[in-house]
Amino acid sequence: QSWTVVPDFTHHAHSASLSAVAVNSRYVVTGSRDETIQIYDMKKKIEHGALLQHNGTITCLEFYGTAHLLSGAEDGVICIWNTKRWECLKSIKAHKGHVSSLSIHPSGKLALSVGTDKTLRTWNLVEGRSAFIKNLKQNAHIIKWSPDGEKYVTVITNKVDIYKLDTASITGTITTEKRISSLRFITNSILAIAGDDEIIRFYSCDSQKCLCEFKAHENRIKDIYSFEREGQHVIVTASSDGYIKMWNLDLNKIKDVPSLLCEVNTKARLTCLAVWLDQASETKENSDKAATSSQANEDEKSSIVTKTKVCWTDKSNKTAKRKMKITPEKQKLEAPLQKKKKKRNSSA
C-alpha cells in the first residue's frame, strides 16, 4: 500500500519562519517568529485572519476540540482563545521567562506548561488561574499529557521524565544520546521520540525500554505526528532535509520497522508539523493527504497537513461554563421567557 501526496493549499503565511502549528477539525493555526498567529479555514481553503496578542516568538499552540485554542510565547504569556469569535478570553502571565511548551489535559480542565524559569506549572482552565507550581532543576522544553490523562512527560535536553498524575512523582526516565526535538504518545504506553539525529525510536512508558528504532531521514528530525485512520496507525515525520514522510505502524508488531506509505520533498527547511484530516474525504478510496509544515525561509513554499481526534467538554471561565451549551438562538428565546415569568410572578 502506498499513498500519494499532492499540494492542496499553499500560502505565504508569515514574514519570518514558523515556530508552531496546530489543528482542529476545521482550522489550521500557525505561529511564527514574527509574533503573530495566522488562522486558516481548511474547509474553505482560505486565510481567516491573524491573532496579535503576543509579543515575541509564538512557541506553542494547542486546540481543545472546536471551541478553544491555547497559545504560548516568548513573552511568558499563555492566551486562551474562543475559536468561534477568535477573541482572547484570558491572557495569563504564566512564566517569568519564555513559555516553552504547553499541553491540555484530555478533560479540558487542566493544562500544564513549562518555561525558561525552570518551573512546571499546572493551570485550572475552568477558573483560568494557577493551580500548582513545581520547580525543576533544569529548563524543560517539551511537556505532554498521555491520551488517557493519567500521566504526563517532560523533556529536558535528552531526558524524558514520566510522571504519574495522581502522585505527581516521576515513575521512570528515558535517556537518549541526542537532544530530543519532538515526542508523541502513540498509545498510553508507547512513546515515539525524535531528536537531533535521523532516528525515530519507540519506547515503552512502563519499562522505559526501546521497542524499535529506525532511520527515517537523512538529517535531524524536527517534528513527529501521529493519527489513526480506519484502524491504521500512521506516523508523520518532518526533517531538516526537507522531506515529510508518512509511515504505517503495526502496533501488533511494534518491534518491526514501520513501512513507508509516502514521502514528499518540500524543498524547505521544515520546523514544525501537524496533520489535518478532511473528515468528508475519509470515505474516499486512496484519499490524498495534504501535509502541512512550516518553513524557516520566507521565500520557501509552505505546505500543511493536520488533525487528530480530540475530545472537549470544558470551558475557560464560569460564564462560558454556564452558557457553553446554549446556542445564540436559544439565548434569544430564553431571555424573553424569563421576563414573562417575572411579570407573572409580580402580578401574582
Side-chain angles (χ1 to χ4, degrees):
Q1 186 191 9
S2 62
W3 292 359
T4 16
V5 180
V6 292
D8 186 51
F9 173 73
T10 305
H11 189 78
H12 188 99
H14 295 271
S15 60
S17 62
L18 273 73
S19 49
V21 60
V23 296
N24 69 3
S25 57
R26 179 163 184 178
Y27 296 103
V28 169
V29 291
T30 57
S32 167
R33 295 183 183 278
D34 67 9
E35 307 184 355
T36 69
I37 299 167
Q38 300 288 341
I39 310 160
Y40 298 92
D41 185 329
M42 293 305 289
K43 295 282 175 73
K44 296 178 181 176
K45 300 289 192 296
I46 57 166
E47 187 179 6
H48 193 73
L51 307 175
L52 310 172
Q53 190 83 8
H54 289 286
N55 295 310
T57 297
I58 311 300
T59 53
C60 40
L61 295 164
E62 188 167 326
F63 276 106
Y64 188 80
T66 56
H68 296 85
L69 170 74
L70 264 65
S71 61
E74 285 186 352
D75 55 8
V77 171
I78 289 176
C79 291
I80 301 170
W81 302 89
N82 172 313
T83 59
K84 303 299 179 193
R85 297 194 183 100
W86 290 106
E87 60 186 351
C88 183
L89 298 171
K90 197 163 184 74
S91 180
I92 304 165
K93 180 62 180 170
H95 290 271
K96 289 174 185 173
H98 304 164
V99 179
S100 303
S101 178
L102 62 82
S103 186
I104 304 167
H105 189 268
S107 69
K109 294 177 181 178
L110 293 175
L112 296 172
S113 68
V114 289
T116 56
D117 55 2
K118 295 182 183 175
T119 63
L120 186 164
R121 296 175 186 245
T122 307
W123 303 96
N124 179 331
L125 293 182
V126 179
E127 297 177 14
R129 61 174 178 79
S130 175
F132 185 72
I133 300 170
K134 178 181 174 62
N135 292 312
L136 303 172
K137 290 177 182 176
Q138 292 171 276
N139 288 325
H141 63 279
I142 298 173
I143 185 131
K144 190 115 22 208
W145 285 104
S146 63
D148 62 8
E150 289 182 9
K151 55 180 161 286
Y152 56 92
V153 295
T154 61
V155 179
I156 298 171
T157 316
N158 65 331
K159 188 180 73 168
V160 181
D161 284 329
I162 303 162
Y163 289 81
K164 208 173 174 185
L165 173 61
D166 53 8
T167 59
S169 59
I170 297 173
T171 59
T173 299
I174 295 165
T175 307
T176 61
E177 286 184 17
K178 300 284 180 79
R179 183 183 186 274
I180 294 165
S181 57
S182 183
L183 171 148
R184 188 92 190 166
F185 275 96
I186 305 300
T187 67
N188 289 310
S189 58
I190 298 172
L191 273 173
I193 296 174
D196 283 356
D197 56 16
E198 312 86 44
I199 312 292
I200 299 282
R201 295 177 176 88
F202 298 116
Y203 283 89
S204 161
C205 291
D206 304 320
S207 68
Q208 293 90 54
K209 288 180 180 174
C210 184
L211 304 170
C212 171
E213 64 175 61
F214 65 100
K215 183 180 176 181
H217 289 270
E218 295 303 318
N219 207 322
R220 63 181 179 173
I221 296 159
K222 293 296 290 183
D223 212 347
I224 182 169
Y225 209 91
S226 68
F227 63 91
E228 193 179 339
R229 184 173 172 271
E230 295 170 357
Q232 186 176 24
H233 283 268
V234 180
I235 310 292
V236 191
T237 56
S239 165
S240 294
D241 63 12
Y243 276 87
I244 293 171
K245 296 186 180 184
M246 304 183 83
W247 311 82
N248 179 29
L249 175 65
D250 187 343
L251 288 177
N252 297 319
K253 299 174 183 174
I254 190 69
K255 292 184 179 180
D256 293 354
V257 173
S259 56
L260 184 65
L261 291 167
C262 63
E263 62 179 36
V264 59
N265 186 0
T266 64
K267 297 178 181 174
R269 184 172 160 244
L270 304 176
T271 55
C272 50
L273 168 91
V275 176
W276 181 79
L277 294 179
D278 185 351
Q279 305 300 328
S281 73
E282 273 198 48
T283 52
K284 293 181 186 175
E285 265 189 295
N286 247 351
S287 73
D288 291 330
K289 292 283 171 250
T292 317
S293 52
S294 76
Q295 46 281 63
N297 184 322
E298 60 181 86
D299 297 326
E300 292 164 345
K301 293 176 187 174
S302 158
S303 30
I304 302 188
V305 210
T306 38
K307 162 78 194 169
T308 43
K309 296 166 190 172
V310 199
C311 50
W312 205 6
T313 51
D314 207 356
K315 307 67 187 161
S316 330
N317 57 29
K318 289 179 180 175
T319 358
K321 192 173 184 180
R322 286 195 296 271
K323 295 184 179 176
M324 189 63 107
K325 293 182 181 175
I326 302 174
T327 60
E329 292 78 7
K330 284 183 183 174
Q331 283 178 345
K332 287 174 189 173
L333 288 169
E334 282 186 6
L337 284 171
Q338 285 166 355
K339 285 175 187 173
K340 282 179 186 175
K341 281 179 187 175
K342 283 180 184 175
K343 282 181 184 177
R344 283 178 192 162
N345 290 341
S346 56
S347 58

